[in-house]
Amino acid sequence: MSKKINIAIVGLGFGAEFIPIYQRHPNANMYAICQRNVEKLNAIGDAFNIEVRYSNYDELLKDPNIDAVHINSPIPNHAEQTLKALRAGKHVACTVPMATSVEDCMEIVKTCKETGKKYMMMETVVYAREFLFVKELYEKGELGKVQFLKASHQQDMDGWPDYWPGLPPMHYATHCVGPVAGLLRLEAEYVSCFGSGTIREELAKIHNSPFAVESAHIKFKDSDLSAYVYRSLFDVARQYRESFEVYGSKKSFEWPLIEGEEAVIHTAKKEEHEIPERVATPDYAHLLPEEIQAFTTRGVYDIDENTHLSFTQGAGHGGSHPHLVHEFLTALVEDRAPFPNAAQSANWTSVGILAHESAMQGGKIMYLPDFNA
C-alpha cells in the first residue's frame, strides 16, 4: 500500500477543501492544481506549496505525470472534462452530478470500459457519518429487513451564482438518490415524479422549470423495495436539510428535523412511548488512515473566513471528504472499482434527470437505461 498516486485538482473553489487531505494521505502525491483565474491559482498554489499549476485544462491533461484528476468545476463542465480526462488516460473523481444528460452519463460509462480507467462520483452523503452509522446498523442486522427508504434535499439557493438560478430541483438530486440506492447497493429501474407549486416567473423561465418542489418514487431492479425522494431549491421555507431515513422490520432511522438535533431510532415491539430514542451519530474517522482522520471534523476553511458556501450550508458534508479521498485512492491502489463507480454514478444521476422529465409529463413512469450492459 505504499504506492503514490499523482493527483491534479481541477477547480479551486470547493476543490481547495481537498488539497490538504490529499497532501496528507499516504497514497497520494498532491501534484498539480488547475484554475482559469491565474491570480487565484497562484494564491492557492502558494498557500499549499503546490508547484505544478495550470490555468488551461487541456494543457494539464497533456502532463504525463498526472495519474488522476479530481474535478470540482461548475456542473455544465463535468461531463466534457471527465470524458477528456478518461481519453487522456487519467482516472477521474468528479463532484456531483456526473453529467446533465442521460446520454453523457452513458458516454462516460462506455469510455471507462474502453479506456480501462476508473471513475468515481464524489457523492458526499454516502460517506457522511449518518450514512455510515445506518450502514453499520444494517450490516450488523440491527435494522432487520429493510422495508422502505426515504431522502430529501431542501435548500434555499437564492443568491447562488451562474447555473443555479431556476435549476430544476431533480437535476441536482444525487444527495438524496445516492443514499437510498447506495445503502443496499440497489439499481434504480424506473422513476415517477410529480412537481408541486410554482417558483417566481423570472426563475421559472430560465430552465423552463416551474416547480417549487419535485417528489419522486424510485423502483429498484430485482428488489421488493422502492424509495421516496423530494427536493426544493427556491420559494419554499425550510432550513437546509439533506435527510436520509430507513425503515426496517426491527429498527428504523429518522433524520432530525432541525440541524444540530439528534437523530431518532425507532425499535419495534417495545412499549409505545419507548419505541423512539434519540441517538448521537458517531464519527467514523477510525476507518481512515491516521494522517487524515482529523478532516472528518475540521475543514481547510476553518482557518479562514473564506468558507465555500456548499460547505457551511451542507453542515460540513457529514465529515465525508476524507472518506471520499480514501475510497478513490484505495480503489486505484488496489485496482478495483470505487464506490460509486461509473455505472452506479450514472444510475443515480439519471434518476434525477429522468425524474424531472417525468414531472414535466405529469408523473409519467420513466425507465432508466441499463448502464451495466
Side-chain angles (χ1 to χ4, degrees), residues 213-322:
V213 179
E214 289 182 337
S215 59
H217 273 105
I218 304 163
K219 185 72 186 79
F220 294 110
K221 193 174 179 180
D222 303 324
S223 168
D224 62 352
L225 291 173
S226 65
Y228 172 64
V229 298
Y230 58 99
R231 291 235 50 210
S232 65
L233 292 167
F234 302 99
D235 295 345
V236 177
R238 181 71 177 91
Q239 182 188 31
Y240 185 103
R241 187 172 189 242
E242 282 176 25
S243 76
F244 165 55
E245 306 187 334
V246 184
Y247 295 86
S249 57
K250 293 181 184 173
K251 284 184 180 177
S252 297
F253 171 88
E254 290 186 334
W255 199 275
L257 285 169
I258 297 170
E259 180 68 43
E261 292 189 350
E262 292 184 331
V264 178
I265 296 272
H266 297 265
T267 305
K269 309 301 181 229
K270 284 185 166 186
E271 290 291 323
E272 197 63 30
H273 67 280
E274 291 178 353
I275 289 173
E277 177 190 359
R278 294 197 183 276
V279 290
T281 308
D283 192 58
Y284 284 84
H286 63 274
L287 301 178
L288 298 166
E290 202 175 323
E291 296 91 334
I292 62 167
Q293 287 180 358
F295 288 104
T296 63
T297 51
R298 179 172 63 88
V300 56
Y301 288 114
D302 288 1
I303 50 169
D304 193 330
E305 290 305 301
N306 177 30
T307 304
H308 188 272
L309 209 50
S310 85
F311 194 63
T312 47
Q313 231 186 345
H317 293 147
S320 59
H321 296 173

Side-chain angles (χ1 to χ4, degrees), residues 46-105:
D46 292 348
F48 290 104
N49 296 314
I50 298 165
E51 285 177 32
V52 184
R53 306 171 191 182
Y54 291 95
S55 59
N56 181 301
Y57 182 63
D58 293 332
E59 288 303 309
L60 175 145
L61 293 180
K62 292 176 189 167
D63 187 332
N65 294 321
I66 295 170
D67 299 312
V69 296
H70 182 166
I71 296 168
N72 295 280
S73 57
I75 289 173
N77 305 127
H78 290 181
E80 182 195 5
Q81 291 186 341
T82 294
L83 289 164
K84 278 184 175 179
L86 292 169
R87 287 164 183 155
K90 318 294 185 195
H91 301 290
V92 176
C94 183
T95 190
V96 304
M98 182 186 224
T100 57
S101 74
V102 175
E103 293 73 24
D104 279 347
C105 289

Side-chain angles (χ1 to χ4, degrees), residues 5 11 35 41 67 72 129 153 159 181 192 196 199 207 213 222 247-248 258 262 272 288 290 301 332 334 339:
I5 308 290
Q35 169 82 30
L41 175 73
D67 299 312
N72 295 280
R129 59 183 71 88
H153 180 188
S192 168
S196 183
I199 56 173
H207 294 279
V213 179
D222 303 324
Y247 295 86
I258 297 170
E262 292 184 331
E272 197 63 30
L288 298 166
E290 202 175 323
Y301 288 114
L332 297 185
E334 294 176 358
F339 175 75

